[in-house]
Coordinates of all heavy atoms in Angstrom, one line a residue:
V1 N 16.2 11.8 5.7 CA 15.8 10.9 4.6 C 14.3 11.0 4.3 O 14.0 11.1 3.1 CB 16.1 9.4 5.0 CG1 15.6 8.4 4.0 CG2 17.6 9.2 5.1
A2 N 13.5 11.0 5.3 CA 12.0 11.1 5.1 C 11.7 12.5 4.4 O 10.9 12.5 3.4 CB 11.3 11.0 6.4
T3 N 12.3 13.5 4.8 CA 12.0 14.9 4.2 C 12.5 14.9 2.8 O 11.7 15.3 1.9 CB 12.7 16.0 5.0 OG1 12.2 15.9 6.4 CG2 12.5 17.3 4.4
A4 N 13.6 14.3 2.5 CA 14.2 14.3 1.1 C 13.2 13.5 0.2 O 12.9 13.8 -0.9 CB 15.6 13.7 1.1
R5 N 12.8 12.3 0.8 CA 11.9 11.5 0.0 C 10.6 12.2 -0.4 O 10.1 12.1 -1.5 CB 11.6 10.2 0.7 CG 10.7 9.3 -0.2 CD 10.7 7.8 0.2 NE 12.1 7.3 0.2 CZ 12.4 6.2 0.9 NH1 11.6 5.6 1.7 NH2 13.7 5.8 0.8
W6 N 10.0 12.9 0.6 CA 8.8 13.6 0.4 C 9.0 14.7 -0.7 O 8.1 15.0 -1.5 CB 8.2 14.2 1.7 CG 7.2 13.3 2.3 CD1 7.4 12.4 3.3 CD2 5.9 13.0 1.8 NE1 6.3 11.7 3.5 CE2 5.3 12.0 2.6 CE3 5.2 13.6 0.7 CZ2 4.0 11.6 2.4 CZ3 3.9 13.1 0.6 CH2 3.3 12.1 1.4
H7 N 10.1 15.4 -0.6 CA 10.4 16.4 -1.6 C 10.5 15.8 -3.0 O 10.1 16.4 -4.0 CB 11.7 17.2 -1.3 CG 11.5 18.2 -0.2 ND1 12.4 18.3 0.8 CD2 10.5 19.1 0.0 CE1 12.0 19.3 1.6 NE2 10.8 19.8 1.2
E8 N 10.9 14.6 -3.1 CA 11.0 13.9 -4.4 C 9.6 13.4 -4.9 O 9.4 13.5 -6.1 CB 11.9 12.6 -4.3 CG 13.4 12.9 -4.1 CD 14.2 11.7 -3.8 OE1 13.6 10.6 -3.9 OE2 15.3 11.8 -3.4
I9 N 8.8 13.0 -4.1 CA 7.5 12.4 -4.5 C 6.3 13.4 -4.6 O 5.3 13.1 -5.2 CB 7.1 11.2 -3.7 CG1 6.8 11.6 -2.2 CG2 8.1 10.1 -3.8 CD1 6.3 10.4 -1.4
R10 N 6.4 14.5 -3.9 CA 5.3 15.4 -3.8 C 4.9 15.9 -5.2 O 5.8 16.2 -6.1 CB 5.5 16.6 -2.9 CG 6.6 17.6 -3.4 CD 6.7 18.7 -2.3 NE 7.9 19.5 -2.6 CZ 8.3 20.5 -1.9 NH1 7.6 20.8 -0.8 NH2 9.3 21.2 -2.2
G11 N 3.6 15.9 -5.5 CA 3.1 16.3 -6.8 C 3.3 15.2 -7.9 O 3.0 15.4 -9.1
R12 N 3.8 14.1 -7.5 CA 4.1 13.0 -8.5 C 3.3 11.8 -8.2 O 2.5 11.7 -7.3 CB 5.6 12.6 -8.5 CG 6.5 13.9 -8.8 CD 7.9 13.5 -8.7 NE 8.3 12.7 -9.9 CZ 9.4 12.1 -10.0 NH1 10.4 12.2 -9.1 NH2 9.7 11.3 -11.1
S13 N 3.5 10.7 -9.0 CA 2.9 9.4 -8.8 C 3.9 8.4 -8.7 O 5.0 8.5 -9.2 CB 2.0 9.1 -10.0 OG 1.0 10.1 -10.2
A14 N 3.6 7.3 -7.9 CA 4.5 6.2 -7.7 C 3.7 4.9 -7.7 O 2.6 4.9 -7.2 CB 5.3 6.4 -6.4
A15 N 4.3 3.9 -8.3 CA 3.7 2.6 -8.4 C 4.3 1.8 -7.2 O 5.5 1.7 -7.1 CB 4.0 1.9 -9.7
L16 N 3.5 1.2 -6.5 CA 3.9 0.3 -5.4 C 3.5 -1.1 -5.8 O 2.3 -1.4 -6.1 CB 3.2 0.7 -4.1 CG 3.4 -0.3 -2.9 CD1 4.9 -0.1 -2.4 CD2 2.5 0.0 -1.8
I17 N 4.4 -2.0 -5.8 CA 4.2 -3.4 -6.2 C 4.3 -4.2 -4.9 O 5.4 -4.2 -4.3 CB 5.1 -3.9 -7.3 CG1 4.9 -3.1 -8.5 CG2 4.8 -5.4 -7.6 CD1 5.9 -3.3 -9.6
T18 N 3.2 -4.9 -4.5 CA 3.2 -5.7 -3.3 C 3.2 -7.2 -3.7 O 2.4 -7.6 -4.5 CB 2.0 -5.4 -2.5 OG1 2.0 -4.0 -2.2 CG2 2.0 -6.2 -1.2
G19 N 4.2 -7.9 -3.2 CA 4.2 -9.4 -3.5 C 3.7 -10.2 -2.3 O 4.0 -9.8 -1.1
H20 N 3.1 -11.3 -2.6 CA 2.6 -12.2 -1.6 C 2.9 -13.6 -1.9 O 3.0 -14.0 -3.1 CB 1.0 -12.1 -1.5 CG 0.5 -10.9 -1.0 ND1 1.2 -9.7 -0.8 CD2 -0.8 -10.5 -0.6 CE1 0.4 -8.7 -0.4 NE2 -0.8 -9.2 -0.3
C21 N 3.2 -14.4 -1.0 CA 3.5 -15.8 -1.2 C 2.6 -16.6 -0.2 O 2.7 -16.4 1.0 CB 5.0 -16.2 -1.0 SG 5.3 -17.9 -1.2
L22 N 1.8 -17.5 -0.6 CA 0.9 -18.3 0.2 C 1.5 -19.7 0.1 O 1.5 -20.4 -0.9 CB -0.5 -18.3 -0.3 CG -1.5 -19.2 0.4 CD1 -1.7 -18.8 1.8 CD2 -2.8 -19.2 -0.4
I23 N 1.9 -20.3 1.3 CA 2.4 -21.6 1.3 C 1.2 -22.4 2.0 O 0.8 -22.1 3.0 CB 3.7 -21.7 2.2 CG1 4.8 -20.9 1.5 CG2 4.1 -23.2 2.3 CD1 6.0 -20.7 2.3
H24 N 0.8 -23.5 1.3 CA -0.3 -24.3 1.7 C 0.1 -25.8 1.5 O 1.1 -26.1 0.9 CB -1.6 -23.9 1.0 CG -1.4 -24.0 -0.5 ND1 -1.7 -25.1 -1.2 CD2 -1.1 -23.0 -1.4 CE1 -1.5 -24.9 -2.5 NE2 -1.1 -23.7 -2.7
P25 N -0.8 -26.7 2.1 CA -0.4 -28.1 2.0 C -0.2 -28.6 0.6 O 0.6 -29.6 0.4 CB -1.7 -28.8 2.6 CG -2.2 -27.8 3.6 CD -2.0 -26.4 2.9
G26 N -0.8 -28.0 -0.4 CA -0.6 -28.5 -1.8 C 0.5 -27.8 -2.5 O 0.8 -28.1 -3.7
G27 N 1.2 -26.9 -1.9 CA 2.3 -26.2 -2.6 C 2.3 -24.7 -2.2 O 2.2 -24.4 -1.0
E28 N 2.5 -23.9 -3.2 CA 2.5 -22.5 -2.9 C 1.9 -21.7 -4.1 O 1.9 -22.1 -5.2 CB 3.9 -22.0 -2.6 CG 4.9 -22.0 -3.8 CD 6.3 -21.6 -3.4 OE1 6.8 -21.9 -2.4 OE2 6.9 -20.8 -4.3
E29 N 1.4 -20.5 -3.8 CA 0.9 -19.5 -4.7 C 1.7 -18.3 -4.5 O 1.9 -17.8 -3.4 CB -0.6 -19.3 -4.5 CG -1.5 -20.4 -4.7 CD -1.6 -20.8 -6.2 OE1 -1.6 -19.8 -7.0 OE2 -1.8 -22.0 -6.5
V30 N 2.2 -17.7 -5.6 CA 2.9 -16.4 -5.6 C 2.2 -15.5 -6.5 O 1.8 -15.8 -7.6 CB 4.4 -16.6 -6.1 CG1 5.1 -15.3 -6.1 CG2 5.1 -17.6 -5.2
A31 N 2.0 -14.2 -6.0 CA 1.3 -13.2 -6.8 C 1.7 -11.8 -6.4 O 2.3 -11.7 -5.3 CB -0.2 -13.4 -6.7
S32 N 1.5 -10.9 -7.2 CA 1.8 -9.5 -6.9 C 0.6 -8.6 -7.4 O -0.1 -9.0 -8.3 CB 3.1 -9.0 -7.5 OG 3.1 -9.1 -8.9
A33 N 0.6 -7.4 -6.8 CA -0.4 -6.5 -7.2 C 0.2 -5.1 -7.3 O 1.1 -4.8 -6.5 CB -1.6 -6.4 -6.2
R34 N -0.2 -4.3 -8.2 CA 0.3 -3.0 -8.5 C -0.7 -1.9 -8.1 O -1.9 -2.0 -8.6 CB 0.7 -2.8 -9.9 CG 1.4 -1.5 -10.3 CD 1.8 -1.6 -11.8 NE 2.5 -0.5 -12.2 CZ 2.0 0.6 -12.8 NH1 0.7 0.7 -13.0 NH2 2.7 1.6 -13.1
T35 N -0.3 -1.0 -7.3 CA -1.2 0.2 -6.9 C -0.4 1.4 -7.2 O 0.8 1.6 -6.8 CB -1.6 0.1 -5.5 OG1 -2.2 -1.2 -5.2 CG2 -2.5 1.2 -5.1
V36 N -1.0 2.4 -7.9 CA -0.4 3.7 -8.2 C -1.0 4.7 -7.2 O -2.2 4.8 -7.0 CB -0.7 4.1 -9.6 CG1 -0.1 5.5 -9.9 CG2 -0.1 3.1 -10.6
V37 N -0.1 5.4 -6.5 CA -0.4 6.4 -5.6 C -0.1 7.8 -6.2 O 1.1 8.0 -6.6 CB 0.4 6.3 -4.3 CG1 0.0 7.3 -3.3 CG2 0.1 4.9 -3.7
H38 N -1.0 8.7 -6.3 CA -0.9 10.0 -6.8 C -0.8 11.0 -5.6 O -1.8 11.1 -4.8 CB -2.0 10.4 -7.7 CG -2.1 9.5 -8.9 ND1 -1.5 9.7 -10.1 CD2 -2.9 8.4 -9.1 CE1 -1.8 8.8 -10.9 NE2 -2.6 7.9 -10.3
F39 N 0.4 11.6 -5.4 CA 0.6 12.4 -4.2 C 0.2 13.9 -4.5 O 0.3 14.4 -5.6 CB 2.1 12.4 -3.8 CG 2.5 11.0 -3.4 CD1 3.2 10.2 -4.3 CD2 2.3 10.6 -2.1 CE1 3.6 8.9 -3.9 CE2 2.7 9.3 -1.7 CZ 3.3 8.5 -2.6
A40 N -0.3 14.5 -3.4 CA -0.5 15.9 -3.4 C 0.8 16.7 -3.4 O 1.9 16.0 -3.4 CB -1.4 16.3 -2.2
F41 N 0.8 18.0 -3.3 CA 2.0 18.8 -3.2 C 2.0 19.5 -1.9 O 1.7 20.7 -1.8 CB 2.1 19.8 -4.4 CG 3.4 20.3 -4.7 CD1 4.2 19.7 -5.7 CD2 4.0 21.3 -3.9 CE1 5.5 20.1 -5.9 CE2 5.3 21.7 -4.2 CZ 6.0 21.2 -5.2
P42 N 2.4 18.8 -0.8 CA 2.5 19.5 0.5 C 3.6 20.5 0.5 O 4.7 20.2 -0.2 CB 2.7 18.4 1.5 CG 3.3 17.2 0.7 CD 2.7 17.4 -0.7
D43 N 3.5 21.6 1.2 CA 4.5 22.6 1.2 C 5.6 22.1 2.3 O 5.4 21.1 2.9 CB 4.0 24.0 1.5 CG 3.3 24.1 2.9 OD1 3.7 23.4 3.8 OD2 2.4 24.9 3.0
D44 N 6.7 22.8 2.3 CA 7.8 22.4 3.2 C 7.4 22.3 4.7 O 7.8 21.4 5.4 CB 9.0 23.3 3.0 CG 9.7 23.2 1.7 OD1 9.3 22.3 0.9 OD2 10.5 24.1 1.4
A45 N 6.6 23.2 5.1 CA 6.1 23.2 6.5 C 5.2 22.0 6.8 O 5.3 21.3 7.8 CB 5.4 24.5 6.9
E46 N 4.4 21.6 5.8 CA 3.5 20.4 6.0 C 4.4 19.1 6.0 O 4.1 18.2 6.8 CB 2.5 20.3 4.8 CG 1.4 21.4 4.9 CD 0.5 21.4 3.7 OE1 1.0 21.3 2.6 OE2 -0.7 21.5 3.9
I47 N 5.4 19.1 5.1 CA 6.3 17.9 5.1 C 7.0 17.8 6.4 O 7.1 16.7 7.0 CB 7.3 18.0 3.9 CG1 6.5 17.8 2.6 CG2 8.4 17.0 4.1 CD1 7.4 18.1 1.4
A48 N 7.5 18.9 7.0 CA 8.3 18.9 8.2 C 7.3 18.4 9.4 O 7.7 17.6 10.2 CB 8.8 20.2 8.5
A49 N 6.1 18.9 9.4 CA 5.2 18.5 10.4 C 4.8 17.0 10.3 O 4.8 16.3 11.3 CB 3.9 19.3 10.4
Y50 N 4.6 16.5 9.1 CA 4.3 15.1 8.9 C 5.5 14.2 9.3 O 5.3 13.2 10.0 CB 3.9 14.9 7.5 CG 3.6 13.4 7.2 CD1 2.4 12.8 7.8 CD2 4.4 12.6 6.5 CE1 2.2 11.5 7.6 CE2 4.2 11.2 6.3 CZ 3.0 10.7 6.9 OH 2.8 9.4 6.7
V51 N 6.6 14.6 8.8 CA 7.8 13.8 9.1 C 8.0 13.7 10.7 O 8.4 12.6 11.2 CB 9.1 14.3 8.4 CG1 10.3 13.6 8.9 CG2 8.9 14.1 6.9
A52 N 7.7 14.7 11.4 CA 7.8 14.7 12.8 C 6.9 13.7 13.5 O 7.2 13.2 14.6 CB 7.6 16.1 13.4
T53 N 5.9 13.3 12.8 CA 4.9 12.3 13.3 C 5.3 10.8 13.0 O 4.7 9.9 13.5 CB 3.5 12.5 12.8 OG1 3.4 12.2 11.4 CG2 3.0 13.9 13.0
C54 N 6.3 10.7 12.2 CA 6.6 9.3 11.6 C 7.6 8.5 12.4 O 8.0 7.4 11.9 CB 7.1 9.5 10.2 SG 5.9 10.2 9.1
S55 N 8.0 8.9 13.5 CA 9.0 8.1 14.3 C 10.2 7.6 13.5 O 10.6 6.5 13.7 CB 8.3 6.9 14.9 OG 7.2 7.3 15.7
G56 N 10.7 8.5 12.6 CA 11.9 8.2 11.9 C 11.6 7.4 10.6 O 12.5 7.2 9.8
S57 N 10.4 6.9 10.4 CA 10.1 6.2 9.2 C 10.0 7.1 8.0 O 9.2 8.1 8.1 CB 8.8 5.4 9.4 OG 8.4 4.8 8.1
P58 N 10.6 6.8 6.9 CA 10.5 7.7 5.7 C 9.3 7.5 4.8 O 9.1 8.1 3.8 CB 11.8 7.4 4.9 CG 12.1 6.0 5.2 CD 11.6 5.8 6.7
G59 N 8.4 6.6 5.2 CA 7.3 6.2 4.4 C 6.1 7.2 4.5 O 6.2 8.3 5.0
F60 N 5.0 6.7 4.0 CA 3.8 7.5 4.0 C 2.7 6.5 4.4 O 2.8 5.3 4.3 CB 3.5 8.2 2.7 CG 3.3 7.2 1.6 CD1 2.0 6.7 1.2 CD2 4.4 6.8 0.8 CE1 1.9 5.8 0.2 CE2 4.2 5.9 -0.2 CZ 3.0 5.4 -0.5
T61 N 1.5 7.0 4.7 CA 0.4 6.1 5.0 C -0.8 6.7 4.4 O -0.9 7.8 4.0 CB 0.1 6.1 6.6 OG1 -0.2 7.4 7.0 CG2 1.3 5.5 7.3
L62 N -1.8 5.8 4.2 CA -3.1 6.2 3.6 C -4.1 6.5 4.7 O -5.2 6.9 4.4 CB -3.7 5.1 2.7 CG -2.9 4.8 1.5 CD1 -3.6 3.7 0.7 CD2 -2.7 6.0 0.6
D63 N -3.7 6.2 5.9 CA -4.6 6.6 7.0 C -3.9 7.6 7.9 O -2.7 7.9 7.7 CB -5.0 5.3 7.8 CG -3.8 4.4 8.2 OD1 -2.6 4.8 7.8 OD2 -3.9 3.4 8.8
G64 N -4.6 8.1 8.8 CA -3.9 9.1 9.7 C -3.5 10.4 9.0 O -4.1 10.8 8.0
Y65 N -2.5 11.0 9.5 CA -2.0 12.2 8.9 C -1.6 12.2 7.5 O -1.8 13.2 6.7 CB -0.8 12.7 9.7 CG -1.1 13.0 11.2 CD1 -0.3 12.3 12.2 CD2 -2.1 13.8 11.6 CE1 -0.6 12.5 13.5 CE2 -2.3 14.1 13.0 CZ -1.6 13.4 13.9 OH -1.8 13.6 15.2
G66 N -1.1 11.1 7.0 CA -0.6 11.0 5.6 C -1.7 11.0 4.6 O -1.5 11.3 3.4
S67 N -2.9 10.7 5.0 CA -4.0 10.6 4.0 C -4.3 11.9 3.3 O -4.7 11.9 2.1 CB -5.3 10.1 4.7 OG -5.7 11.0 5.7
A68 N -4.0 13.0 3.9 CA -4.2 14.3 3.3 C -3.3 14.6 2.1 O -3.5 15.5 1.3 CB -4.1 15.5 4.4
F69 N -2.2 13.9 2.1 CA -1.2 14.1 1.0 C -1.3 13.1 -0.1 O -0.4 13.0 -0.9 CB 0.2 14.1 1.7 CG 0.4 15.0 2.8 CD1 0.9 14.6 4.0 CD2 0.0 16.4 2.7 CE1 1.1 15.5 5.0 CE2 0.1 17.3 3.7 CZ 0.7 16.9 4.9
V70 N -2.4 12.4 -0.2 CA -2.6 11.4 -1.2 C -3.8 11.9 -2.0 O -4.9 12.0 -1.4 CB -2.8 10.0 -0.7 CG1 -3.2 9.0 -1.9 CG2 -1.6 9.5 0.0
R71 N -3.7 12.2 -3.3 CA -4.8 12.8 -4.1 C -5.7 11.7 -4.6 O -6.9 11.8 -4.7 CB -4.2 13.6 -5.2 CG -3.5 14.8 -4.8 CD -3.0 15.7 -5.9 NE -4.1 16.1 -6.8 CZ -4.9 17.1 -6.6 NH1 -4.8 17.9 -5.6 NH2 -5.9 17.4 -7.5
R72 N -5.0 10.5 -5.0 CA -5.8 9.5 -5.7 C -5.0 8.2 -5.6 O -3.8 8.2 -5.6 CB -6.0 9.9 -7.1 CG -6.9 9.0 -7.9 CD -7.4 9.7 -9.2 NE -6.3 10.2 -10.0 CZ -5.8 9.7 -11.1 NH1 -6.2 8.5 -11.5 NH2 -4.8 10.3 -11.8
I73 N -5.8 7.1 -5.7 CA -5.2 5.7 -5.7 C -5.8 5.0 -6.9 O -7.0 5.1 -7.2 CB -5.6 4.9 -4.4 CG1 -5.1 5.6 -3.2 CG2 -5.1 3.5 -4.5 CD1 -3.7 5.5 -3.0
E74 N -4.9 4.3 -7.6 CA -5.4 3.4 -8.7 C -5.0 2.0 -8.3 O -3.8 1.7 -8.2 CB -4.7 3.8 -10.0 CG -5.0 5.1 -10.6 CD -4.2 5.4 -11.9 OE1 -3.9 4.4 -12.7 OE2 -3.8 6.5 -12.0
G75 N -6.0 1.2 -8.0 CA -5.7 -0.1 -7.5 C -6.2 -0.3 -6.1 O -7.1 0.4 -5.6
D76 N -5.8 -1.4 -5.5 CA -6.3 -1.8 -4.2 C -5.5 -1.0 -3.1 O -4.3 -1.2 -2.9 CB -6.1 -3.3 -4.0 CG -6.6 -3.8 -2.7 OD1 -7.3 -3.0 -1.9 OD2 -6.4 -5.0 -2.4
P77 N -6.2 -0.2 -2.3 CA -5.5 0.5 -1.2 C -4.9 -0.4 -0.2 O -3.9 -0.1 0.5 CB -6.6 1.4 -0.6 CG -7.7 1.5 -1.6 CD -7.6 0.2 -2.4
A78 N -5.5 -1.6 -0.1 CA -4.9 -2.6 0.9 C -3.4 -2.9 0.6 O -2.7 -3.2 1.5 CB -5.8 -3.8 1.0
N79 N -3.1 -2.8 -0.7 CA -1.7 -3.1 -1.1 C -0.7 -2.1 -0.5 O 0.4 -2.4 -0.2 CB -1.5 -3.1 -2.6 CG -2.3 -4.3 -3.2 OD1 -2.4 -5.3 -2.6 ND2 -2.8 -4.0 -4.4
V80 N -1.2 -0.9 -0.3 CA -0.4 0.2 0.3 C -0.4 0.1 1.8 O 0.7 0.3 2.4 CB -0.9 1.6 -0.2 CG1 0.0 2.7 0.4 CG2 -0.9 1.6 -1.7
I81 N -1.5 -0.2 2.4 CA -1.6 -0.3 3.8 C -0.9 -1.4 4.4 O -0.3 -1.4 5.5 CB -3.1 -0.3 4.2 CG1 -3.8 1.0 3.8 CG2 -3.3 -0.5 5.7 CD1 -5.3 1.0 3.9
G82 N -0.9 -2.6 3.7 CA -0.3 -3.8 4.3 C -0.6 -5.0 3.4 O -0.4 -5.0 2.3
L83 N -1.3 -5.9 4.0 CA -1.6 -7.1 3.4 C -2.8 -6.9 2.4 O -3.9 -6.4 2.8 CB -2.0 -8.2 4.4 CG -2.4 -9.6 3.9 CD1 -1.2 -10.2 3.2 CD2 -2.8 -10.4 5.1
G84 N -2.6 -7.2 1.2 CA -3.7 -7.1 0.2 C -4.6 -8.2 0.3 O -4.5 -9.3 -0.4
I85 N -5.7 -8.1 1.0 CA -6.6 -9.1 1.3 C -7.3 -9.6 0.0 O -7.5 -10.8 -0.2 CB -7.7 -8.7 2.4 CG1 -6.9 -8.4 3.7 CG2 -8.8 -9.7 2.6 CD1 -6.3 -9.6 4.3
P86 N -7.8 -8.7 -0.9 CA -8.4 -9.3 -2.1 C -7.4 -10.2 -2.9 O -7.9 -11.2 -3.4 CB -8.8 -8.0 -2.9 CG -9.0 -7.0 -1.8 CD -7.9 -7.3 -0.8
L87 N -6.2 -9.8 -3.0 CA -5.2 -10.6 -3.7 C -5.0 -11.9 -2.9 O -5.0 -13.0 -3.6 CB -3.8 -9.9 -3.8 CG -2.7 -10.6 -4.4 CD1 -3.0 -11.1 -5.9 CD2 -1.4 -9.8 -4.4
L88 N -4.9 -11.9 -1.6 CA -4.7 -13.1 -0.8 C -5.9 -14.0 -1.0 O -5.8 -15.2 -1.2 CB -4.5 -12.7 0.6 CG -4.3 -13.9 1.6 CD1 -3.1 -14.8 1.2 CD2 -4.2 -13.4 3.0
R89 N -7.1 -13.5 -1.0 CA -8.3 -14.3 -1.2 C -8.3 -15.0 -2.6 O -8.6 -16.2 -2.7 CB -9.6 -13.5 -1.2 CG -10.8 -14.3 -1.4 CD -12.1 -13.4 -1.3 NE -13.2 -14.1 -1.8 CZ -13.7 -14.0 -3.1 NH1 -13.1 -13.3 -3.9 NH2 -14.7 -14.7 -3.5
D90 N -7.8 -14.3 -3.6 CA -7.7 -15.0 -5.0 C -6.7 -16.1 -4.9 O -6.9 -17.2 -5.5 CB -7.3 -13.9 -6.0 CG -8.4 -12.9 -6.3 OD1 -9.6 -13.2 -6.0 OD2 -8.0 -11.9 -6.9
M91 N -5.6 -15.9 -4.2 CA -4.5 -16.9 -4.1 C -5.1 -18.1 -3.3 O -4.8 -19.3 -3.7 CB -3.3 -16.3 -3.4 CG -2.6 -15.2 -4.2 SD -1.4 -14.3 -3.2 CE -0.2 -15.6 -3.0
V92 N -5.8 -17.9 -2.3 CA -6.4 -19.0 -1.5 C -7.4 -19.8 -2.4 O -7.3 -21.0 -2.4 CB -7.2 -18.4 -0.3 CG1 -8.1 -19.4 0.4 CG2 -6.1 -17.9 0.8
R93 N -8.2 -19.1 -3.2 CA -9.1 -19.8 -4.1 C -8.3 -20.6 -5.1 O -8.7 -21.8 -5.4 CB -10.0 -18.8 -4.7 CG -11.0 -18.2 -3.7 CD -11.9 -17.2 -4.3 NE -12.9 -17.9 -5.0 CZ -13.7 -17.3 -5.9 NH1 -13.6 -16.0 -6.1 NH2 -14.6 -18.0 -6.6
R94 N -7.3 -20.1 -5.7 CA -6.5 -20.8 -6.7 C -5.8 -22.0 -6.1 O -5.5 -23.0 -6.7 CB -5.4 -19.9 -7.3 CG -5.9 -19.0 -8.4 CD -4.9 -18.4 -9.2 NE -3.9 -17.6 -8.5 CZ -3.9 -16.4 -8.1 NH1 -5.0 -15.6 -8.5 NH2 -2.9 -15.8 -7.5
A95 N -5.5 -22.0 -4.8 CA -5.0 -23.1 -4.1 C -6.0 -24.2 -3.7 O -5.7 -25.2 -3.2 CB -4.3 -22.6 -2.8
G96 N -7.3 -23.9 -4.1 CA -8.3 -24.9 -3.9 C -8.9 -24.9 -2.5 O -9.6 -25.8 -2.1
L97 N -8.7 -23.8 -1.8 CA -9.2 -23.6 -0.5 C -10.3 -22.6 -0.5 O -10.5 -21.8 -1.4 CB -8.1 -23.1 0.4 CG -6.8 -23.9 0.5 CD1 -5.7 -23.2 1.2 CD2 -7.1 -25.3 1.2
S98 N -11.1 -22.6 0.6 CA -12.2 -21.7 0.7 C -11.9 -20.6 1.7 O -11.4 -20.9 2.8 CB -13.5 -22.5 1.2 OG -14.5 -21.6 1.6
W99 N -12.1 -19.4 1.3 CA -11.8 -18.2 2.2 C -12.6 -18.4 3.5 O -12.0 -18.2 4.6 CB -12.2 -16.9 1.5 CG -11.8 -15.7 2.3 CD1 -12.6 -14.9 2.9 CD2 -10.4 -15.2 2.5 NE1 -11.9 -13.9 3.5 CE2 -10.6 -14.1 3.3 CE3 -9.2 -15.7 2.1 CZ2 -9.4 -13.3 3.7 CZ3 -8.1 -14.9 2.5 CH2 -8.2 -13.8 3.3
P100 N -13.9 -18.7 3.5 CA -14.6 -18.8 4.8 C -14.0 -20.0 5.7 O -14.1 -19.9 6.9 CB -16.0 -19.1 4.4 CG -16.2 -18.4 3.1 CD -14.8 -18.7 2.4
D101 N -13.4 -21.0 5.0 CA -12.8 -22.1 5.9 C -11.7 -21.6 6.7 O -11.4 -22.1 7.8 CB -12.3 -23.2 5.0 CG -13.4 -24.0 4.3 OD1 -14.6 -23.9 4.8 OD2 -13.2 -24.7 3.4
L102 N -11.1 -20.5 6.3 CA -10.0 -19.9 7.1 C -10.5 -19.2 8.4 O -9.7 -18.9 9.3 CB -9.2 -18.9 6.3 CG -8.5 -19.5 5.0 CD1 -7.8 -18.4 4.3 CD2 -7.6 -20.7 5.3
W103 N -11.7 -18.9 8.5 CA -12.3 -18.2 9.6 C -12.4 -19.1 10.8 O -12.5 -18.6 12.0 CB -13.7 -17.7 9.3 CG -13.7 -16.7 8.2 CD1 -12.7 -16.1 7.6 CD2 -14.9 -16.3 7.5 NE1 -13.1 -15.3 6.6 CE2 -14.5 -15.4 6.5 CE3 -16.2 -16.6 7.6 CZ2 -15.3 -14.8 5.6 CZ3 -17.1 -16.0 6.7 CH2 -16.7 -15.1 5.7
T104 N -12.3 -20.4 10.6 CA -12.5 -21.3 11.8 C -11.2 -21.9 12.1 O -10.6 -22.8 11.8 CB -13.6 -22.4 11.5 OG1 -13.3 -23.1 10.3 CG2 -14.9 -21.7 11.4

């Protein structure tokens, strides 16, 4: 599955939409962020070697071995890596909370 997916996306671009929901004492905030990933064109041997490092996961990463196969990012890289902290901070502020207050 991972190899087939890489053959489909190499040399192309894909939009990743990350959704977040913040539940707080006053209600909830829901938001999403869109990040476009422009992939390089790894050859079949590179894809096979990369897939062998993925422990069966068909995905890609922006860090580690996968970073060499990403040519460009449009948007927040944190949306691809995991939790979009800039988006979460905006949600926290809209909820009337202070980001630094969360540190304690």
